[in-house]
Amino acid sequence: MIHHFSVDVEEYFQVSAFESHVSRKRWNDFESRVVNSVSQLLEMFAEHDAGATFFVLGWVAEKHPEMVRSIAAAGHEVASHGWDHRLVGRQSRDDFRDSVKRTKELLEELTGEPVRGFRAPSFSITPGCEWALDVLIEEGHAYDSSLFPVSRPGYGYPAGRRDPHWIERDVGRIAEMPPATVRVGKLNLPAGGGAYFRLLPYSLARAAARSSAQRGHPATFYIHPWEIDPNQPRLDVSLLTRLRHYGGLGRTAKRLRRFLGEFSFRPIADTVASL
């Protein structure tokens, strides 16, 4: 089974947990570190002959166009993460459409390739926000990877399916590629990446990949460039936020190399094309 590995390309200061501490108006005041981390990820993927999908923020792409071109030149898929990391539920339909359209147009201009996929910041297409799928279909996206089939504060789509599937909407259909989970009793536990990959036992991610393969489906994993950057500046945030954001940064790269060596990966668009 060939699984999916994805990268949510954003700066360390743009995460949703920092939103109340770092206004978007101040983003240009912070040191940019994303280019170096993406370069390291590209090297890791090349070492393990792994294909990946990079969900890129439009704001980041505008600042670092050569980085986006380097991702595409390395044979990876460039997909959309929206423009400025605003949660879907905090946007109007028109604002969301503008973000989606603007990002798609820029990424396609930079790479010369169609942008087929989208992932909402912090997986924020949650119950009640399904209208966002309609916008994605109308704006020409073939798949979404935002419906995390878990129940937790802040995000999650508890009624979502665990494996790749089609979602039928009045305006058309779109493929859904949910992040990986592990089933324990009646609960889906998040195991797709991020803090779960950094802070929880490595065996959880391995179990998610193996379980998905046994069901006959690829699993979708994700990471952020800042998660392999233990020397990033520390922001003055709450203890819980510090633990979630900075915990395990020093071991992420080593774990990732181990994971890339144990399983095979390809871009999400390759699977969508074969559905």
Side-chain angles (χ1 to χ4, degrees), residues 244-272:
R244 288 174 55 189
H245 185 87
Y246 300 118
L249 293 180
R251 65 185 175 211
T252 308
K254 182 177 180 180
R255 281 192 171 191
L256 179 54
R257 287 191 174 91
R258 179 182 177 185
F259 200 52
L260 293 172
E262 191 167 351
F263 299 98
S264 297
F265 298 94
R266 68 178 182 179
I268 296 174
D270 290 0
T271 295
V272 175

Side-chain angles (χ1 to χ4, degrees), residues 54-103:
F54 287 73
F55 293 99
V56 184
L57 273 188
W59 189 94
V60 171
E62 187 176 57
K63 299 290 183 183
H64 304 291
E66 289 304 318
M67 179 193 71
V68 178
R69 294 189 183 103
S70 71
I71 294 170
H76 302 290
E77 178 190 7
V78 174
S80 172
H81 200 35
W83 188 263
D84 60 359
H85 215 266
R86 292 183 190 274
L87 302 181
V88 173
R90 296 181 184 176
Q91 300 180 68
S92 70
R93 191 183 187 111
D94 287 343
D95 287 342
F96 179 70
R97 186 184 300 278
D98 179 69
S99 171
V100 166
K101 187 180 183 69
R102 185 181 180 191
T103 304

Side-chain angles (χ1 to χ4, degrees), residues 131-146:
W131 53 265
L133 299 174
D134 297 337
V135 174
L136 293 176
I137 295 168
E138 291 166 349
E139 294 301 327
H141 291 79
Y143 75 86
D144 171 68
S145 184
S146 307

